[in-house]
Amino acid sequence: MFELFTGNRNYSSWSMRPWVLLTQASIPFKDTRVRFDSFESGSDFKRAIRAVNPVGKVPALLDDGFAVWDSLAISEYVADKFRDKHLWPSETKARARARSVCAEMHSGFAALRQHCTMNVEAVLPDVGERLLRDEPAVRADAERIVQLMQDALNAHGGPMLFGDFSIADAFFAPVVMRFKTYGLPAPDGVAAYFERVHALPAVQAWVTQALAEHDFRAFEEPYRSAP
């Protein structure tokens, strides 16, 4: 059985991707959560995760002692191991496009990541409004994400980005959380997709766990003070 190492549900967008992928695809795995205490080199978090992943970050996947880290590498590994789950689209061009949008999400949107950190249980529309007004790079990132989603939905007809649930939807699930937290606008078709992602059983399970966590981490909270 796989063992997946993840961070705090409320904050760890990178962990959310493979966790949602495995859960939604009904692939069994042992879920090992490593609490964020600090990202300093001597922190409990770093010491724990470096025993699995030399980079010292989550997520990390163990398969019979073999370690895979980075959310995209994990997703590719899982797709290769479970070809019957069809985690990438079957059609060649759709599969290439799905990989392209995952790679863009994986490596891009630095401004949105920096200013709109994932915070599942927070409600910060006033912050989102200010960021869209004052940070052109955030506005550009949000617009590009919406365009990516619109193009995929228009090309494949939904309900997910490439028809059925795929790695692409798992990759975009954390940004759906960000749009919700910060009240970022989206046209009706994309907003409806957000609701479908939020309603996925795996996403609902992640959100439920995030809301139950009650583990305020000040270094992850640029907009709020400790309760």
Side-chain angles (χ1 to χ4, degrees):
M1 182 185 292
F2 288 153
E3 183 174 8
L4 182 66
F5 292 78
T6 61
N8 285 49
R9 295 288 185 263
N10 196 46
Y11 304 118
S12 188
S13 59
W14 299 94
S15 297
M16 186 181 183
R17 294 168 174 177
W19 194 96
V20 164
L21 178 66
L22 290 168
T23 303
Q24 188 65 27
S26 299
I27 296 170
F29 66 100
K30 178 183 177 183
D31 181 12
T32 300
R33 201 179 316 187
V34 186
R35 179 177 180 263
F36 292 164
D37 63 331
S38 164
F39 298 139
E40 299 299 322
S41 60
S43 67
D44 290 344
F45 170 79
K46 287 292 187 182
R47 283 197 297 268
I49 199 61
R50 279 199 181 111
V52 181
N53 171 12
V55 179
K57 296 180 178 180
V58 286
L61 183 78
L62 278 185
D63 181 17
D64 194 24
F66 178 74
V68 185
W69 55 90
D70 182 278
S71 58
L72 188 52
I74 291 169
S75 299
E76 290 280 14
Y77 184 78
V78 172
D80 282 343
K81 294 276 285 189
F82 291 88
R83 293 182 182 275
D84 60 308
K85 298 289 187 178
H86 306 293
L87 299 177
W88 289 117
S90 57
E91 194 273 322
T92 300
K93 289 182 179 179
R95 186 165 63 251
R97 183 57 52 85
R99 282 193 163 106
S100 295
V101 302
C102 286
E104 185 173 351
M105 174 55 66
H106 187 257
S107 63
F109 309 111
L112 190 82
R113 295 184 199 281
Q114 176 187 350
H115 293 286
C116 298
T117 57
M118 193 169 90
N119 196 326
V120 173
E121 60 92 13
V123 181
L124 302 169
D126 53 331
V127 175
E129 183 178 8
R130 174 175 60 79
L131 290 171
L132 290 177
R133 184 190 67 222
D134 297 342
E135 299 288 346
V138 171
R139 188 164 62 250
D141 280 355
E143 290 171 354
R144 174 57 183 155
I145 289 166
V146 165
Q147 189 62 56
L148 276 174
M149 292 179 175
Q150 278 186 318
D151 289 348
L153 292 167
N154 289 343
H156 301 283
M160 297 289 107
L161 290 177
F162 293 90
D164 295 329
F165 174 81
S166 73
I167 290 170
D169 302 296
F171 254 69
F172 277 77
V175 87
V176 170
M177 299 296 103
R178 286 178 160 102
F179 268 69
K180 182 177 179 63
T181 294
Y182 296 93
L184 304 181
D188 290 346
V190 174
Y193 169 71
F194 289 171
E195 293 303 315
R196 292 193 293 274
V197 170
H198 201 268
L200 289 171
V203 173
Q204 281 289 295
W206 180 277
V207 169
T208 297
Q209 292 178 28
L211 295 178
E213 213 165 37
H214 303 301
D215 189 20
F216 188 93
R217 305 281 80 201
F219 57 88
E220 292 277 14
E221 293 277 359
Y223 306 115
R224 303 189 302 172
S225 300

